[in-house]
């Protein structure tokens, strides 16, 4: 079956630090890859996506590149802000099966001023 | 634009009582619909998904059931709640036949079974 493994948290950074959250996946087919963000007490929001190998998804200064050879989709941001504090989920969707998604366990990011 | 609603936002129910959580989507037709449960500090567990009215697929055998009586309505139910049913329940939708199948989530329902 499909699975997603994320870097364990929590992660605590100072404002303007560089962020990397690692994500690797196992999939039987050719999935689409996503990063979602969840703020306290809310549902998940799509942060960025990539649909094929070497695609780079980007949004709000966050980036992730679909690496098929290493089955990875690491999230990066050059300079984090306090407002980036949230839980980040890596996920994949199975295009052959109604878009069923598999999520990682989430990584909690806290950014301190 | 599309909007997804979930209610209630929070719910406290005694063990053995019934449950009904509702999710509706506006601004799209024939969406794929999903129910997830998120335990505290954990990832999301897919419970049910639906590709059309009356079509429900269950991912995990459990105390819950789902129904889709209308195109944009998805209901999660239980006849008798267990303590282990506590959690944060999220409804989501996606556009079928798209390349990415990104999902759009509702605000969630916090269920506490006492």
């Amino acid at each position: 079956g499909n699975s997603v493994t994320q870097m364990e948290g929590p992660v605590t950074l100072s404002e303007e630090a560089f962020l990397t959250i690692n994500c690797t996946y196992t999939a039987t087919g050719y999935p689409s890859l996503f990063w979602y963000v969840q703020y306290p007490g809310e549902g998940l929001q799509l942060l960025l996506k990539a649909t094929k190998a070497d695609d780079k998804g980007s949004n709000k200064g966050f980036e992730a590149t679909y690496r098929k050879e290493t089955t990875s989709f690491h999230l990066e941001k050059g300079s984090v802000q306090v407002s980036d504090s949230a839980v980040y989920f890596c996920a994949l969707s199975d295009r052959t099966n109604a878009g069923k998604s598999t999520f990682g366990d989430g990584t909690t990011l806290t950014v301190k001023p | 634009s599309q909007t997804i609603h979930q209610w209630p936002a929070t719910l406290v129910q005694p063990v053995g009582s019934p449950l009904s959580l509702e999710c509706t989507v506006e601004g799209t037709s024939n969406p794929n619909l999903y129910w997830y449960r998120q335990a505290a500090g954990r990832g999301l567990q897919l419970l049910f998904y639906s590709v059309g009215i009356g079509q429900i697929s269950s991912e995990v055998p459990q105390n819950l059931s789902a129904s889709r009586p209308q195109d944009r309505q998805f209901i999660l139910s239980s006849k008798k709640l267990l303590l282990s049913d506590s959690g944060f329940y999220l409804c989501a939708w996606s556009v079928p036949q798209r390349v990415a199948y990104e999902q759009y989530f509702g605000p969630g329902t916090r269920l506490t079974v006492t």
Side-chain angles (χ1 to χ4, degrees), chain A residues 63-81:
Chain A
E63 294 182 339
T65 301
Y66 192 143
R67 300 291 187 197
K68 198 167 189 292
E69 65 276 13
T70 55
T71 62
S72 65
F73 193 55
H74 304 320
L75 182 68
E76 297 182 337
K77 186 174 185 182
S79 176
V80 294
Q81 306 300 313

Side-chain angles (χ1 to χ4, degrees), chain A residues 32 34 36 38 41-46 49 51 89 93-106, chain B residues 32 34 36 38 41-44 46 49 51 59 88 90 94 98-108 110:
Chain A
S32 295
F34 308 89
Y36 291 86
Q38 184 179 33
E42 299 183 5
L44 277 68
Q45 302 174 25
L46 178 66
K49 66 182 180 184
T51 59
F89 292 92
S93 71
D94 184 346
R95 307 177 217 187
T96 64
N97 198 358
K100 284 171 50 180
S101 290
T102 303
F103 288 79
D105 283 344
Chain B
N32 288 348
Y34 312 86
Y36 292 90
Q38 184 179 25
R42 299 295 303 276
L44 276 69
L46 179 62
Y49 69 95
V51 299
E59 287 296 294
F88 192 46
L90 290 161
S94 69
R98 284 285 181 89
V99 175
Y101 277 103
E102 61 264 38
Q103 297 192 3
Y104 300 94
F105 286 81
R110 176 78 57 193

Side-chain angles (χ1 to χ4, degrees), chain B residues 1 3 12 14 17-19 21-22 25 27 29 49-50 59 70-71 75 78 80-81 84 88 95 100 103 109-110:
Chain B
S1 64
T3 309
V12 180
S17 64
L19 173 73
L21 302 181
E22 189 164 341
V25 181
S29 296
Y49 69 95
S50 171
E59 287 296 294
Q70 299 180 42
D71 180 46
I75 297 172
S78 173
K80 288 186 178 182
L81 283 169
S84 58
F88 192 46
V95 178
Q103 297 192 3
T109 295
R110 176 78 57 193

Side-chain angles (χ1 to χ4, degrees), chain B:
Chain B
S1 64
Q2 299 87 3
T3 309
I4 179 168
H5 302 280
Q6 276 187 253
W7 64 91
T10 59
L11 193 58
V12 180
Q13 292 284 98
V15 168
S17 64
L19 173 73
S20 180
L21 302 181
E22 189 164 341
C23 170
T24 59
V25 181
E26 296 177 357
T28 188
S29 296
N30 196 31
N32 288 348
L33 296 171
Y34 312 86
W35 276 112
Y36 292 90
R37 178 169 59 206
Q38 184 179 25
R42 299 295 303 276
L44 276 69
Q45 179 186 35
L46 179 62
L47 303 175
F48 302 95
Y49 69 95
S50 171
V51 299
I53 296 174
Q55 301 178 59
I56 307 296
S57 296
S58 174
E59 287 296 294
V60 181
Q62 57 203 316
N63 186 42
L64 301 170
S65 62
S67 62
R68 185 171 176 175
Q70 299 180 42
D71 180 46
R72 290 170 289 177
Q73 183 185 29
F74 205 23
I75 297 172
L76 183 69
S77 304
S78 173
K79 293 182 180 177
K80 288 186 178 182
L81 283 169
L82 306 172
L83 285 174
S84 58
D85 291 325
S86 294
F88 192 46
Y89 288 82
L90 290 161
C91 181
W93 68 275
S94 69
V95 178
Q97 308 305 323
R98 284 285 181 89
V99 175
Y101 277 103
E102 61 264 38
Q103 297 192 3
Y104 300 94
F105 286 81
T109 295
R110 176 78 57 193
L111 172 66
T112 303
V113 182
T114 61

